[in-house]
Amino acid sequence: MIHSLFLINSSGDIFLEKHWKSVVSRSVCDYFFEAQERATEAENVPPVIPTPHHYLLSVYRHKIFFVAVIQTEVPPLFVIEFLHRVVDTFQDYFGVCSEPVIKDNVVVVYEVLEEMLDNGFPLATESNILKELIKPPTILRTVVNTITGSTNVGDQLPTGQLSVVPWRRTGVKYTNNEAYFDVIEEIDAIIDKSGSTITAEIQGVIDACVKLTGMPDLTLSFMNPRLLDDVSFHPCVRFKRWESERILSFIPPDGNFRLLSYHVSAQNLVAIPVYVKHNISFRDSSSLGRFEITVGPKQTMGKTIEGVIVTSQMPKGVLNMSLTPSQGTHTFDPVTKMLSWDVGKINPQKLPSLKGTMSLQAGASKPDENPTINLHFKIQQLAISGVPRSLHSKTF
């Protein structure tokens, strides 16, 4: 399975390595560095890189490359999912996953990695089990370990390790029982200049924070579960009941976890909650052009649109832009021809707009097409897909 793991920062330095089966030389990462040089951005590095004797599988998160080395063919998504689980575990243990934090807690990092893989095969990847095996670092525990020479390794086997629900420890008790579910959706849409939707898809996740006493058995139902496609569940979900009744039935882990991720395809009607009015014109035999865009809300159910950022890749013939925003700030890079407008929050009574002129290269031909406009935004407490839910629980 996984022979070695290398952690590489954005500068190309290997600052941590862990080997399970046999020690693999750092020189194997030269193939990764070559692919990194060919990629224009860090996110464009191929996730699977074949070499004469190994395969390199990597993920890039928090400005760190997590590179796994394997010698035989395995399902690549299996290894990539494990790497994501490693990152999530570090973030759960230390609050943030960054190079300085990993270096400061290098002993705990090695202890956690040793428990997560057994001879190169995934063993314990649930946060609850790992925290019983390896205690999370605290200031007091660090001081005690320094004085006594002890480690963060637990004295007993986790209570849930040998049970039928290994993701939940036994004997959980809370004074206040509570459960929170966050539905987070990202919509990816392409809209033509007339405002008609060409394609629209939704990627969604449901993150949970459950703090309930005992061994609770929860059910979660949706108003229209048939909209959900390509669903990925946490292991606690009873899949057979979902297949037959389209109801989520599960005994949840204790604390924070991702219950499921889903996809709403373009075949379903997706309502776009914002609109953009634009007037971009390039005049023939003229060194000036007109630029004007306005952003407004649409079908937001009274919710506020926040964090609005508009970006546009202008044609090469645009030398500079003289624009005036009614709200927010804007920048234009004459080298990359990238226009960025940080709008912020949209006020329906006074719609934000960006107007001005463009300076064009003298003698250059008129661009064949208008530039594309990319719009990023956030809406709190609104599920675009329309999959509201109800929750029922039983505690044993």
Side-chain angles (χ1 to χ4, degrees):
M1 190 57 183
I2 299 177
H3 282 251
S4 302
L5 175 66
F6 294 94
L7 270 59
I8 305 173
N9 59 22
S10 55
S11 301
D13 300 323
I14 302 174
F15 65 91
L16 187 139
E17 58 182 285
K18 169 66 177 169
H19 307 278
W20 283 273
K21 288 191 173 182
S22 59
V23 177
V24 178
S25 174
R26 285 191 172 191
S27 61
V28 73
C29 293
D30 292 342
Y31 297 96
F32 176 82
F33 295 141
E34 292 176 1
Q36 186 180 9
E37 291 179 358
R38 291 192 297 266
T40 56
E41 297 179 358
E43 292 81 0
N44 295 335
V45 176
V48 180
I49 301 175
T51 72
H53 303 288
H54 304 86
Y55 293 94
L56 306 181
L57 290 87
S58 65
V59 298
Y60 180 71
R61 290 180 60 181
H62 306 291
K63 298 182 179 180
I64 299 174
F65 288 100
F66 293 77
V67 183
V69 181
I70 60 176
Q71 288 186 341
T72 57
E73 289 191 13
V74 297
L77 290 180
F78 187 76
V79 180
I80 290 174
E81 176 62 26
F82 173 79
L83 294 178
H84 282 294
R85 190 65 63 91
V86 170
V87 181
D88 294 338
T89 301
F90 288 170
Q91 196 163 4
D92 191 24
Y93 260 77
F94 312 126
V96 293
C97 181
S98 63
E99 181 181 353
V101 171
I102 292 176
K103 288 182 177 179
D104 292 340
N105 299 276
V106 64
V107 175
V108 178
V109 168
Y110 276 111
E111 291 173 345
V112 170
L113 290 176
E114 190 66 33
E115 297 296 339
M116 293 187 74
L117 280 183
D118 180 26
N119 197 32
F121 291 87
L123 177 63
T125 58
E126 288 294 332
S127 179
N128 289 327
I129 294 177
L130 287 171
K131 286 183 178 179
E132 290 190 68
L133 288 168
I134 310 295
K135 304 298 181 182
T138 61
I139 297 177
L140 179 60
R141 188 171 289 124
T142 302
V143 173
V144 172
N145 291 347
T146 304
I147 297 175
T148 62
S150 57
T151 65
N152 289 3
V153 179
D155 298 330
Q156 299 178 349
L157 188 69
T159 55
Q161 182 77 3
L162 303 178
S163 70
V164 294
V165 283
W167 53 83
R168 185 176 182 86
R169 58 190 176 92
T170 59
V172 179
K173 293 183 179 180
Y174 287 101
T175 304
N176 297 322
N177 292 281
E178 53 188 10
Y180 298 97
F181 293 87
D182 292 330
V183 181
I184 304 171
E185 294 184 340
E186 296 183 359
I187 182 171
D188 187 5
I190 300 177
I191 303 173
D192 61 16
K193 61 181 180 180
S194 64
S196 301
T197 303
I198 298 176
T199 179
E201 297 181 342
I202 293 177
Q203 301 289 342
V205 298
I206 297 182
D207 290 333
C209 178
V210 178
K211 297 182 179 180
L212 299 174
T213 301
M215 196 69 69
D217 197 330
L218 308 181
T219 58
L220 189 67
S221 59
F222 300 94
M223 186 68 70
N224 191 357
R226 300 296 174 181
L227 288 175
L228 305 182
D229 187 22
D230 193 18
V231 185
S232 175
F233 299 104
H234 188 276
C236 68
V237 176
R238 299 180 177 97
F239 185 65
K240 287 187 177 180
R241 186 169 182 185
W242 168 261
E243 280 190 316
S244 60
E245 304 178 34
R246 292 294 171 177
I247 292 178
L248 292 182
S249 176
F250 58 97
I251 297 176
D254 181 42
N256 299 304
F257 67 101
R258 176 154 294 177
L259 181 61
L260 80 155
S261 59
Y262 59 89
H263 172 257
V264 178
S265 64
Q267 298 176 354
N268 299 287
L269 184 61
V270 177
I272 310 300
V274 295
Y275 68 88
V276 178
K277 292 182 178 180
H278 58 88
N279 181 17
I280 305 174
S281 59
F282 301 95
R283 304 172 186 172
D284 293 323
S285 66
S286 175
S287 59
L288 291 177
R290 184 69 183 171
F291 185 92
E292 179 180 350
I293 57 174
T294 302
V295 183
K298 182 178 64 173
Q299 298 178 352
T300 61
M301 299 181 183
K303 305 297 182 180
T304 303
I305 302 177
E306 303 173 336
V308 180
I309 299 177
V310 181
T311 58
S312 181
Q313 181 68 52
M314 305 305 294
K316 296 181 180 180
V318 177
L319 299 178
N320 209 341
M321 303 184 73
S322 178
L323 305 173
T324 303
S326 64
Q327 177 182 327
T329 59
H330 79 284
T331 58
F332 176 72
D333 190 342
V335 178
T336 61
K337 312 299 182 184
M338 179 62 69
L339 171 66
S340 178
W341 178 26
D342 190 348
V343 181
K345 185 184 298 183
I346 293 182
N347 182 5
Q349 280 72 36
K350 188 179 179 181
L351 299 180
S353 62
L354 183 64
K355 303 178 182 179
T357 59
M358 298 176 289
S359 300
L360 307 178
Q361 186 176 356
S365 59
K366 178 182 176 181
D368 297 332
E369 299 178 351
N370 281 337
T372 58
I373 298 175
N374 298 317
L375 184 65
H376 303 265
F377 59 90
K378 296 179 182 178
I379 304 177
Q380 301 287 348
Q381 299 178 347
L382 177 65
I384 300 298
S385 63
V387 287
R389 67 279 181 198
S390 60
L391 174 69
H392 306 278
S393 67
K394 296 179 181 179
T395 304
F396 299 96

